[in-house]
Amino acid sequence: MNDKIKKLKEIVDNTDNLVFFGGAGVSTESGIPDFRSVDGLYNLKYKYPPETIISHTFFMRRTEEFYEFYKDKMMALDAKPNKAHEKLAQWEKKGKCKAVVTQNIDGLHQMAGSKKVMELHGSIHRNYCMKCGKFFDAAYVKKSDGVPRCDACGGLIKPDVVLYEEGLDNQTVSDAIYAISHADVMIIGGTSLVVYPAAGMIDYFRGSHLILVNKSSTSRDSHADLVINDSIGEVFGQL
């Protein structure tokens, strides 16, 4: 165990008020592609750029093409939690981790056992009929032929994920800001901190230890007490 991991372990061992803020890098180790790496969704070739496809306008105007991409590339229903998800769930059970604030939509934190999860960008596991409001799970959407329709009224089903041009859920944002602003330790993991407004939330942290765990450097490295440039699963697996 190197010195940085030892320091991280020491900080975690001595707190019972930790908040984790995570991005795509937490999920890539479970086999879910991110959007900005070399193998990420932004670098795959489609008729339209992914930013365009997963926008509100595109969803409304070209729903069939939206769902082709969405079901194929964003609904990784076979993915399993990795060491990072599992460690955070363990910390929550021990009373250490007060909240997980995530930009991911895959539900892997909950699958690992975390209960207090704020999903800033929504979840593939929640889907609603735009006409009558009926709820549908991810399997219903994934298995549907073409555009998923409500089995009660025939209305269009929309995933409860935040598309481009849409705002974040106010309650989720409030809960996340509250958790971050009241935390003693904040670990930021698997995110390049370039997606706003989510990345701006870390400005609310007023605690004693800010830790960054990410494969590449970020614009906030100079603000952190500890920076570890490694995969989040590898690091958490050693704790």
Side-chain angles (χ1 to χ4, degrees), residues 58-206:
F58 196 92
F59 171 78
M60 297 305 294
R61 291 181 183 169
R62 295 178 175 270
T63 313
E64 195 162 338
E65 288 169 276
F66 168 89
Y67 266 115
E68 253 175 55
F69 177 87
Y70 179 77
K71 286 194 257 187
D72 185 34
K73 296 297 174 189
M74 297 180 73
M75 299 191 80
L77 301 189
D78 295 328
K80 296 286 186 284
N82 59 54
K83 288 172 184 175
H85 299 108
E86 289 162 359
K87 183 58 71 176
L88 287 164
Q90 285 171 21
W91 287 345
E92 186 183 284
K93 275 183 189 167
K94 288 179 180 175
K96 284 185 176 294
C97 185
K98 301 304 183 192
V100 169
V101 181
T102 181
Q103 299 174 78
N104 298 330
I105 60 173
D106 48 54
L108 292 180
H109 285 292
Q110 291 93 329
M111 200 183 293
S114 289
K115 302 279 190 285
K116 194 73 185 235
V117 182
M118 289 116 191
E119 296 170 308
L120 296 175
H121 297 151
S123 172
I124 61 168
H125 297 284
R126 296 188 302 269
N127 305 274
Y128 299 95
C129 172
M130 294 179 76
K131 195 172 175 184
C132 74
K134 185 176 176 181
F135 170 88
F136 294 89
D137 63 14
Y140 183 92
V141 171
K142 182 92 169 177
K143 290 173 186 171
S144 62
D145 189 19
V147 176
R149 295 276 174 185
C150 176
D151 58 8
C153 75
L156 172 62
I157 293 172
K158 183 182 184 296
D160 187 16
V161 298
V162 180
L163 304 176
Y164 284 102
E165 305 166 348
E166 295 178 346
L168 304 188
D169 177 71
N170 288 334
Q171 188 59 56
T172 306
V173 169
S174 296
D175 291 345
I177 290 172
Y178 182 88
I180 290 167
S181 63
H182 286 77
D184 180 45
V185 174
M186 184 171 178
I187 302 177
I188 299 170
T191 173
S192 50
L193 293 173
V194 296
V195 177
Y196 282 80
M201 287 182 188
I202 68 171
D203 292 332
Y204 289 93
F205 178 66
R206 296 287 181 271

